[in-house]
Amino acid sequence: MSVSLVPWVVSLGLLLVGVLTATWAVRELGQILRDLRRFHRAEGEVVDVRQDWYGDGSSYHPVVRFRTSNGTSVQAPSRHGDRSPGAHPGQRVTVCYNPANPQDVFLAGWWRSGMGAWTLCFVAGTAFAAFATYGLTVLLR
Protein backbone atom coordinates (compact mmCIF):
# COMPACT_ATOMS: atom_id res chain seq x y z
CA MET A 1 0.00 0.00 0.00
CA SER A 2 1.36 3.37 -0.94
CA VAL A 3 2.11 5.78 1.90
CA SER A 4 -0.13 8.37 0.26
CA LEU A 5 -3.13 6.02 0.59
CA VAL A 6 -2.73 5.53 4.33
CA PRO A 7 -4.42 8.81 5.38
CA TRP A 8 -7.33 8.06 3.05
CA VAL A 9 -7.77 4.53 4.35
CA VAL A 10 -7.52 5.68 7.98
CA SER A 11 -9.98 8.54 7.44
CA LEU A 12 -12.48 6.38 5.57
CA GLY A 13 -12.12 3.63 8.19
CA LEU A 14 -12.76 6.07 11.03
CA LEU A 15 -15.73 7.50 9.14
CA LEU A 16 -17.20 4.02 8.67
CA VAL A 17 -16.64 3.05 12.31
CA GLY A 18 -18.12 6.34 13.50
CA VAL A 19 -21.21 6.14 11.32
CA LEU A 20 -21.84 2.49 12.21
CA THR A 21 -21.36 3.14 15.95
CA ALA A 22 -23.64 6.20 15.94
CA THR A 23 -26.29 4.35 13.89
CA TRP A 24 -26.20 1.33 16.22
CA ALA A 25 -26.50 3.64 19.24
CA VAL A 26 -29.50 5.48 17.75
CA ARG A 27 -31.18 2.11 17.08
CA GLU A 28 -30.59 0.94 20.67
CA LEU A 29 -31.68 4.28 22.16
CA GLY A 30 -34.87 4.11 20.10
CA GLN A 31 -35.58 0.62 21.44
CA ILE A 32 -35.08 1.77 25.03
CA LEU A 33 -37.40 4.75 24.47
CA ARG A 34 -40.06 2.45 22.96
CA ASP A 35 -39.69 0.12 25.95
CA LEU A 36 -40.00 3.01 28.39
CA ARG A 37 -43.31 3.97 26.76
CA ARG A 38 -44.83 0.48 26.84
CA PHE A 39 -43.26 -1.02 29.98
CA HIS A 40 -44.99 -0.66 33.33
CA ARG A 41 -43.26 0.61 36.45
CA ALA A 42 -43.23 -0.92 39.90
CA GLU A 43 -41.36 -0.38 43.13
CA GLY A 44 -39.03 -3.25 43.85
CA GLU A 45 -36.08 -4.41 45.86
CA VAL A 46 -32.67 -5.68 44.81
CA VAL A 47 -32.37 -9.21 46.22
CA ASP A 48 -29.07 -10.21 44.63
CA VAL A 49 -26.43 -9.04 42.17
CA ARG A 50 -25.51 -11.58 39.50
CA GLN A 51 -22.03 -11.45 38.01
CA ASP A 52 -21.66 -12.63 34.42
CA TRP A 53 -18.18 -13.29 33.01
CA TYR A 54 -17.22 -12.39 29.47
CA GLY A 55 -13.97 -12.58 27.56
CA ASP A 56 -13.07 -8.98 28.45
CA GLY A 57 -14.27 -8.90 32.05
CA SER A 58 -17.51 -9.18 33.94
CA SER A 59 -20.87 -7.50 34.12
CA TYR A 60 -23.10 -7.12 37.19
CA HIS A 61 -26.87 -7.47 36.85
CA PRO A 62 -29.09 -6.64 39.82
CA VAL A 63 -31.76 -9.27 40.51
CA VAL A 64 -34.96 -7.53 41.59
CA ARG A 65 -38.18 -8.63 43.24
CA PHE A 66 -41.38 -6.67 42.60
CA ARG A 67 -45.13 -7.04 42.12
CA THR A 68 -46.79 -6.45 38.77
CA SER A 69 -49.89 -4.28 38.47
CA ASN A 70 -52.06 -7.42 38.80
CA GLY A 71 -50.26 -8.47 42.02
CA THR A 72 -48.04 -11.23 40.64
CA SER A 73 -44.71 -11.50 42.46
CA VAL A 74 -41.72 -11.55 40.10
CA GLN A 75 -38.01 -12.01 40.67
CA ALA A 76 -35.76 -11.38 37.66
CA PRO A 77 -32.34 -10.02 36.70
CA SER A 78 -32.12 -6.66 34.99
CA ARG A 79 -31.41 -6.92 31.25
CA HIS A 80 -28.79 -4.16 31.59
CA GLY A 81 -25.62 -4.76 33.53
CA ASP A 82 -22.68 -2.64 34.54
CA ARG A 83 -18.95 -3.16 35.00
CA SER A 84 -19.32 -2.53 38.73
CA PRO A 85 -22.14 -3.55 41.05
CA GLY A 86 -24.16 -0.33 41.10
CA ALA A 87 -26.93 -1.78 43.24
CA HIS A 88 -26.82 -3.80 46.43
CA PRO A 89 -29.21 -6.27 48.09
CA GLY A 90 -31.87 -4.51 50.10
CA GLN A 91 -31.82 -1.38 47.94
CA ARG A 92 -35.24 -0.07 46.88
CA VAL A 93 -35.47 0.62 43.13
CA THR A 94 -37.99 1.48 40.46
CA VAL A 95 -38.36 -1.39 38.00
CA CYS A 96 -39.54 -1.11 34.41
CA TYR A 97 -41.10 -4.40 33.26
CA ASN A 98 -42.72 -5.72 30.12
CA PRO A 99 -46.39 -6.43 30.95
CA ALA A 100 -46.41 -9.25 28.35
CA ASN A 101 -43.28 -10.82 29.91
CA PRO A 102 -42.63 -9.57 33.47
CA GLN A 103 -39.25 -11.37 33.51
CA ASP A 104 -38.04 -8.74 30.99
CA VAL A 105 -36.99 -5.93 33.35
CA PHE A 106 -34.56 -3.08 33.73
CA LEU A 107 -34.10 -0.46 36.40
CA ALA A 108 -35.43 3.05 35.85
CA GLY A 109 -32.92 5.84 35.48
CA TRP A 110 -30.79 7.34 32.73
CA TRP A 111 -27.72 5.14 33.29
CA ARG A 112 -29.48 2.04 34.65
CA SER A 113 -31.88 1.82 31.72
CA GLY A 114 -29.00 1.66 29.26
CA MET A 115 -29.58 5.18 27.97
CA GLY A 116 -26.30 6.47 29.41
CA ALA A 117 -24.08 3.86 27.79
CA TRP A 118 -25.78 4.16 24.39
CA THR A 119 -25.63 7.96 24.58
CA LEU A 120 -21.87 7.70 25.13
CA CYS A 121 -21.62 5.34 22.13
CA PHE A 122 -23.53 7.85 20.02
CA VAL A 123 -21.25 10.70 21.10
CA ALA A 124 -18.12 8.61 20.43
CA GLY A 125 -19.40 7.51 17.02
CA THR A 126 -20.29 11.06 16.08
CA ALA A 127 -16.85 12.26 17.23
CA PHE A 128 -15.12 9.58 15.13
CA ALA A 129 -17.20 10.54 12.09
CA ALA A 130 -16.52 14.25 12.61
CA PHE A 131 -12.79 13.67 13.04
CA ALA A 132 -12.71 11.51 9.91
CA THR A 133 -14.71 14.06 7.92
CA TYR A 134 -12.28 16.77 8.95
CA GLY A 135 -9.39 14.51 7.89
CA LEU A 136 -11.00 13.92 4.53
CA THR A 137 -11.54 17.64 3.96
CA VAL A 138 -7.86 18.26 4.72
CA LEU A 139 -6.88 15.52 2.27
CA LEU A 140 -9.09 17.00 -0.47
CA ARG A 141 -7.33 20.38 -0.34
Side-chain angles (χ1 to χ4, degrees), residues 1-140:
M1 180 182 290
S2 172
V3 175
S4 63
L5 285 179
V6 171
W8 286 95
V9 171
V10 170
S11 293
L12 290 172
L14 285 175
L15 181 61
L16 180 64
V17 167
V19 168
L20 290 175
T21 301
T23 301
W24 186 18
V26 166
R27 182 182 160 277
E28 293 297 322
L29 285 166
Q31 183 61 51
I32 292 169
L33 290 172
R34 283 187 296 279
D35 288 346
L36 284 171
R37 281 195 302 272
R38 67 183 176 90
F39 278 30
H40 292 186
R41 289 179 177 244
E43 292 304 311
E45 179 181 354
V46 176
V47 295
D48 193 14
V49 178
R50 186 181 76 197
Q51 185 177 13
D52 293 328
W53 290 94
Y54 301 100
D56 63 342
S58 61
S59 179
Y60 296 89
H61 295 261
V63 178
V64 294
R65 182 176 30 229
F66 63 97
R67 290 199 177 279
T68 63
S69 57
N70 66 7
T72 303
S73 180
V74 176
Q75 183 170 312
S78 174
R79 72 159 78 149
H80 301 292
D82 202 351
R83 293 284 183 183
S84 64
H88 53 83
Q91 182 178 350
R92 303 293 299 170
V93 293
T94 300
V95 178
C96 298
Y97 70 93
N98 183 344
N101 176 15
Q103 293 289 318
D104 183 10
V105 302
F106 59 87
L107 303 184
W110 184 71
W111 190 261
R112 290 178 169 176
S113 67
M115 297 267 306
W118 286 112
T119 300
L120 290 177
C121 285
F122 174 76
V123 169
T126 303
F128 269 74
F131 180 71
T133 301
Y134 173 75
L136 289 170
T137 60
V138 168
L139 289 171
L140 289 172

